[in-house]
Amino acid sequence: MGLVALCALLGAARAHTQSLDTTSTTLSMSATSINLGDTVTLTATVTGTTAPQGTFNFTSQQNGGTINTFATGVALSAINATQSQAVYTTNAFTAGSYTIVAKYRSSDTGTWSNSQSDGQILSVGAVVIHNTAMSLNVNPVTV
């Protein structure tokens, strides 16, 4: 194999390796405690050596139970040269405590990355309506 062919082969291997660069993922929420029916916005940010491309899935685990995926294929938008974000807003949580995780899927490799956020706790409280009876006494005024 000639020197030019070897350099081309090594260059192709390096380009492929760059698409597999390590990424890191963070998750932020617009609130950590909401009432039933309130909306919460989840923002997942993935950082790489270049702005990552792909999608996010968001999962929830209520009170240590089964892990459920509640948003799939949420698209990324580049926010700078090394970061991309996915934003998802929902009001579909029932009352309880949830651990929310964002998991990144690279479009470069087509596979799920090991890059996922740490779990963030979301508490959803039930709305309590108090029924208060009122009475009105009218006292006539004598002139």
Side-chain angles (χ1 to χ4, degrees):
M1 178 178 286
L3 183 58
V4 172
L6 180 59
C7 288
L9 180 63
L10 289 174
R14 191 175 83 191
H16 181 68
T17 302
Q18 287 173 345
S19 70
L20 297 176
D21 281 337
T22 301
T23 58
S24 63
T25 297
T26 59
L27 173 64
S28 63
M29 299 187 298
S30 59
T32 57
S33 181
I34 61 173
N35 288 320
L36 187 65
D38 287 351
T39 59
V40 62
T41 299
L42 310 172
T43 303
T45 304
V46 60
T47 303
T49 56
T50 59
Q53 297 179 5
T55 59
F56 268 99
N57 278 7
F58 291 94
T59 63
S60 66
Q61 184 178 26
Q62 186 176 17
N63 302 323
T66 303
I67 296 174
N68 297 303
T69 301
F70 63 90
T72 60
V74 181
L76 289 171
S77 296
I79 57 171
N80 60 42
T82 61
Q83 293 181 315
S84 296
Q85 280 186 339
V87 179
Y88 183 78
T89 300
T90 184
N91 67 348
F93 287 102
T94 59
S97 178
Y98 297 86
T99 302
I100 310 295
V101 173
K103 189 165 184 180
Y104 168 64
R105 181 182 179 114
S106 170
S107 62
D108 290 341
T109 63
T111 59
W112 289 104
S113 167
N114 286 332
S115 184
Q116 70 179 32
S117 70
D118 290 336
Q120 300 292 318
I121 304 298
L122 175 65
S123 297
V124 181
V127 176
V128 177
I129 299 173
H130 297 281
N131 187 4
T132 304
M134 290 180 93
S135 63
L136 179 62
N137 291 327
V138 179
N139 294 323
V141 175
T142 308
V143 180

